[in-house]
Amino acid sequence: MGFMIFVGVLLLLVIVTILAGIKSVPQGYEWTQERFGKFQRSLKPGLNLIIPYIDRIGRRVNMMEQVLDVPSQEVITRDNAMVTVDGVVFYQVLDSAKASYEVRNLEQAILNLTMTNIRTVMGSMDLDELLSNRDQINARLLIVVDEATEPWGVKVTRIEVKDIKPPADLVASMARQMKAEREKRANILDAEGFRQAAILKAEGEKQAAVLSAEGEKQAAFLQAEARERSAQAEAAATRMVSDAISAGNTQAINYFIAQRYVDALRDVATAPNQKTLILPIEATSVLGSLQGIAEVAKEAFGHKG
Amino acid sequence: MPDWLPTFERVQPWHWWVLGAILLILEVSAPGVFFVWLALAAFALGLLVFVVPILPVTVQLLLFAGLAVAAVFVGRRYVGQLALGGNEGDSLNTGASRLVGRTVTVTTPIVNGVGRVRVGDSDWRATGPDAEAGRSVLIVAADGTTLIVREVNGTWV
């Protein structure tokens, strides 16, 4: 029975020993192995054997990339604006031993380092620069923090400033400034538009005036030409008439005139105005013209006879 | 006391096998690779008891302890062989050594053997021959968070 108890205890010891000696590390982690408290090696993911009772697991280090939220803090810029800033830090442990033993509280260390450096970088900039140069801020922060965390076996891959919040009254005046800026632009554009419109209108009027003058000039030219032509025609007609007269007899002219004269008399007689009474100026001249007709007739008949 | 329970006088082979099965179930439900070795030892011992039924219970228990330790070492070798064949986990969490072989651009000039290079969208500390900013360098090795680079001859960016 005593032997049985011994065997039972021995079995228990073996089981405990196996439990202490076999370590399976999950992927994404590295565990540090300490021999009598001194760092021995890093256990990689997978099945690992350590010597029970003298080796111990020290720290379980996460080797994945991790995100740290940088809490909001108030920063005073170079031009004395108070802004509230928060951000994120992405970091990855590349050397589990250094991350375990070179620094006591890694997350807190990185966080504090980042926060103080955000202050440093932003304190050296004006508010306008701050709001427009985030890339530059991120790059500067990254270089400083990464250099500082290098002895801890940590790679800071990214630092991003998330939110830059100026105080509300400052935001309001920024909005006002922007509105004023836009209104100014709008007014300038309006004025430009009016100016251009006026110029165009004047140009149009000038062109219209020029065109109408040109038109008048051409019309005058054409009218003069027309007058000239009609004068020429009249001259030609007169010449033809006088030629005809010189070739023929004066009585022929008299005939024409008498005809017109009689026509005129008829017109006067049939005029609606009853009070008008025109007597021929020279009745004899009318008769004279009649005589002319007779002579023409006579001549014609005589010529025939 | 029912007669199918194991006693200090007599333990049947199938008792060991049942124990092995229970240990395997525990292994699945509990984290860590631990119970599987004991289960292997239990199965092996069950086979042994099946072949040599006259073993006393105390000897059986001692054998169980011994077999458990043996199973750990044999199993580790076997698991090691398993890990050799196409293990995709080896490319994960390899730190900076995954960057070896990439050609990158110097951002902060390398002076006295220390500078910074741009890898992807991040900035790494680099050691190597002095080079001015904008120069292309080749990553040949990684030491913790520092990349060891050498110049790519005659390449300008």
Side-chain angles (χ1 to χ4, degrees):
Chain A
M1 191 64 214
F3 184 61
M4 180 62 84
I5 290 169
F6 163 72
V7 167
V9 171
L10 189 70
L11 187 61
L12 195 66
L13 184 70
V14 166
I15 291 171
V16 169
T17 305
I18 292 173
L19 182 58
I22 295 178
K23 297 291 170 194
S24 64
V25 182
Q27 183 71 53
Y29 288 83
E30 272 185 25
W31 293 358
T32 59
Q33 173 194 339
E34 295 170 358
R35 184 158 297 171
F36 300 117
K38 181 179 176 296
F39 171 75
Q40 189 76 20
R41 63 183 176 128
S42 286
L43 301 178
K44 299 275 179 286
L47 187 65
N48 290 277
L49 292 189
I50 60 174
I51 302 170
Y53 312 115
I54 64 166
D55 286 348
R56 192 150 283 151
I57 296 300
R59 293 198 170 71
R60 295 166 164 81
V61 185
N62 189 338
M63 304 298 282
M64 301 178 240
E65 193 162 325
Q66 294 171 77
V67 187
L68 268 181
D69 257 314
V70 181
S72 290
Q73 56 170 340
E74 298 215 315
V75 178
I76 298 180
T77 60
R78 193 170 58 186
D79 48 356
N80 297 329
M82 176 89 84
V83 292
T84 312
V85 181
D86 60 352
V88 279
V89 181
F90 291 79
Y91 73 96
Q92 186 170 20
V93 176
L94 296 183
D95 190 326
S96 50
K98 282 182 178 172
S100 305
Y101 303 111
E102 293 281 0
V103 59
R104 174 130 176 275
N105 190 339
L106 183 64
E107 278 201 9
Q108 209 190 348
I110 294 175
L111 205 57
N112 278 300
L113 199 61
T114 309
M115 285 176 81
T116 49
N117 274 297
I118 284 178
R119 286 217 170 110
T120 309
V121 171
M122 293 196 168
S124 66
M125 289 175 139
D126 291 340
L127 180 65
D128 287 344
E129 269 184 281
L130 208 70
L131 294 169
S132 56
N133 292 344
R134 292 199 186 197
D135 288 356
Q136 208 190 315
I137 295 170
N138 293 342
R140 270 172 73 181
L141 281 173
L142 179 66
I143 288 173
V144 175
V145 178
D146 190 39
E147 287 282 349
T149 56
E150 198 267 331
W152 306 336
V154 170
K155 170 70 193 139
V156 177
T157 47
R158 237 170 257 103
I159 296 184
E160 304 272 340
V161 172
K162 266 204 303 205
D163 219 359
I164 301 178
K165 272 207 219 74
D169 53 346
L170 202 58
V171 173
S173 37
M174 274 156 81
R176 261 217 324 278
Q177 182 199 347
M178 204 180 76
K179 199 174 149 195
E181 190 81 39
R182 310 230 158 216
E183 273 177 3
K184 176 185 153 195
R185 286 220 297 257
N187 287 338
I188 288 172
L189 281 171
D190 271 350
E192 282 263 321
F194 282 130
R195 176 171 158 247
Q196 289 223 3
I199 290 171
L200 281 172
K201 224 155 125 179
E203 287 242 322
E205 276 167 13
K206 175 185 154 193
Q207 280 202 0
V210 167
L211 280 173
S212 70
E214 285 219 333
E216 275 171 29
K217 179 182 153 193
Q218 278 205 359
F221 265 98
L222 287 171
Q223 274 170 2
E225 221 170 277
R227 272 218 307 277
E228 211 172 303
R229 289 294 308 277
S230 69
Q232 274 178 358
E234 217 157 304
T238 315
R239 198 178 307 122
M240 279 166 90
V241 169
S242 67
D243 278 358
I245 291 167
S246 63
N249 203 326
T250 24
Q251 298 304 334
I253 297 282
N254 279 347
Y255 162 73
F256 277 113
I257 292 170
Q259 208 181 16
R260 290 281 173 89
Y261 201 84
V262 171
D263 281 349
L265 273 181
R266 191 192 55 209
D267 283 348
V268 169
T270 57
N273 198 341
Q274 294 292 323
K275 287 178 182 170
T276 312
L277 182 66
I278 288 189
L279 285 177
I281 305 156
E282 274 183 60
T284 50
S285 61
V286 178
L287 297 177
S289 49
L290 288 177
Q291 191 188 356
I293 295 169
E295 287 213 12
V296 169
K298 197 191 292 175
E299 214 173 83
F301 295 132
H303 193 74
K304 248 189 159 176
Chain B
M1 197 165 178
D3 58 351
W4 50 265
L5 274 175
T7 61
F8 289 129
E9 284 73 42
R10 180 160 177 73
V11 179
Q12 304 277 8
W14 59 265
H15 288 143
W16 286 113
W17 290 333
V18 168
L19 177 69
I22 290 168
L23 286 168
L24 274 184
I25 291 162
L26 275 175
E27 170 65 54
V28 172
S29 51
V33 188
F34 168 62
F35 293 109
V36 66
W37 313 118
L38 298 177
L40 284 174
F43 285 130
L45 189 65
L47 202 64
L48 200 69
V49 174
F50 183 71
V51 174
V52 190
I54 53 160
L55 282 174
V57 177
T58 48
V59 176
Q60 286 186 21
L61 288 174
L62 280 173
L63 277 171
F64 180 58
L67 280 171
V69 176
V72 168
F73 285 100
V74 173
R76 180 164 167 265
R77 179 164 303 170
Y78 184 60
V79 169
Q81 276 180 344
L82 271 183
L84 281 177
N87 195 334
E88 292 186 5
D90 291 350
S91 60
L92 291 170
N93 308 105
T94 47
S97 51
R98 70 176 184 275
L99 301 171
V100 169
R102 282 174 75 166
T103 305
V104 292
T105 312
V106 178
T107 51
T108 309
I110 301 177
V111 180
N112 303 329
V114 181
R116 296 186 75 82
V117 296
R118 180 154 202 81
V119 184
D121 67 337
S122 183
D123 213 73
W124 289 68
R125 193 168 183 266
T127 61
D130 287 9
E132 57 269 43
R135 205 67 191 270
S136 279
V137 289
L138 181 72
I139 301 171
V140 290
D143 170 26
T145 60
T146 306
L147 303 172
I148 295 149
V149 299
R150 68 173 170 77
E151 281 188 58
V152 179
N153 291 332
T155 318
W156 291 85
V157 174

